[in-house]
Amino acid sequence: MTSTFPDISISTDRLVLRPLEEADVPALADMMDDELVAAWTTVPQPYTRAAARSWVDAHAPAERTAGRGIDFAVTEFLTQRLVGVVQLSHTDWRLRSTELSYIVASWARGEGYASEAALATAQWVFHDQKFERLELRTAAGNTASQQVAQKIGCISEGVLRNAFIARSRTEDGGWTDIRTDLIVWSLLPEDLDGVPGRLADANGFTYPEWN
């Protein structure tokens, strides 16, 4: 029988990670219709509300019920505004291993939200779900995503050469594909020792255990 992640919410001091909802569709579409999201992900561009609705209504529920992973909407605790998405995918229940990815809205970047949400997810996966490994893959040129991986304690394991297609703007305003490498990162339960304190020292706020 296929294992599945529970349909839950995770809270930190500043954020709530919860299932995607129909009300998220407009903000989700706006967040994904963005230059950096287009450059470093494979989502279609321009990103439409129809695509966002399909994600909320079909893709996200199917990922969880099939045991492949789980998608969290990341919202501000005080305003309930959608600031990003965290995904677990390619889950192997026998190995207790899964792949972590994250996207942050353009207006919310630079606030440490990606690190806070990623760390809360990792704590929950390791402590509650008893997983033994998280994996991240970042494009070679995506330094912001690499910084998040480093902040939450990930270890760089190597490079998958020529394993990803990024996108870049052309002179006429379109997009062109660029072949690039992927950096593979891993996080194990013991790698989290001391991470919340180090992040608090660097950013001025704390990352509590998941609730």
Side-chain angles (χ1 to χ4, degrees):
M1 182 176 181
T2 301
S3 297
T4 60
F5 288 113
D7 196 15
I8 69 157
S9 296
I10 303 169
S11 298
T12 72
D13 280 350
R14 302 188 301 166
L15 302 172
V16 176
L17 284 67
R18 56 160 177 77
L20 287 161
E21 302 172 350
E22 183 68 25
D24 295 322
V25 167
L28 184 61
D30 290 343
M31 180 179 74
M32 302 299 286
D33 192 27
D34 172 77
E35 294 281 319
L36 289 181
V37 173
W40 300 121
T41 75
T42 59
V43 300
Q45 294 293 328
Y47 197 85
T48 64
R49 287 198 178 189
R53 185 169 290 105
S54 177
W55 185 355
V56 172
D57 293 343
H59 176 77
E63 285 290 286
R64 193 186 73 81
T65 57
R68 292 187 293 267
I70 189 169
D71 294 0
F72 289 112
V74 181
T75 63
E76 286 183 323
F77 179 77
L78 293 178
T79 67
Q80 300 182 16
R81 190 176 181 185
L82 184 72
V83 302
V85 175
V86 168
Q87 295 177 281
L88 298 177
S89 58
H90 304 110
T91 303
D92 188 317
W93 290 94
R94 182 172 179 271
L95 290 177
R96 310 302 286 185
S97 174
T98 190
E99 185 175 332
L100 173 70
S101 59
Y102 34 78
I103 296 172
V104 174
S106 59
W107 63 269
R109 292 171 188 150
E111 300 295 328
Y113 285 148
S115 300
E116 186 169 351
L119 180 58
T121 304
Q123 289 174 328
W124 170 71
V125 165
F126 290 146
H127 297 166
D128 185 67
Q129 299 299 298
K130 308 303 181 186
F131 270 53
E132 296 294 337
R133 174 182 169 89
L134 273 178
E135 186 172 302
L136 291 80
R137 299 185 178 199
T138 62
N142 192 351
T143 56
S145 186
Q146 293 161 26
Q147 288 170 356
V148 171
Q150 291 172 326
K151 284 181 180 179
I152 67 172
C154 292
I155 304 299
S156 175
E157 292 186 332
V159 176
L160 300 177
R161 297 185 302 162
N162 234 19
F164 187 70
I165 297 177
R167 288 179 284 201
S168 178
R169 280 292 191 188
T170 59
E171 291 184 359
D172 61 3
W175 292 97
T176 186
D177 291 343
I178 300 176
R179 198 95 192 187
T180 188
D181 299 338
L182 280 177
I183 301 173
V184 179
W185 307 78
S186 68
L187 188 68
L188 306 182
E190 57 266 31
D191 297 331
L192 291 182
D193 293 343
V195 170
R198 294 198 302 272
L199 286 174
D201 291 341
N203 297 291
F205 51 82
T206 60
Y207 294 72
E209 297 292 316
W210 67 273
N211 299 306

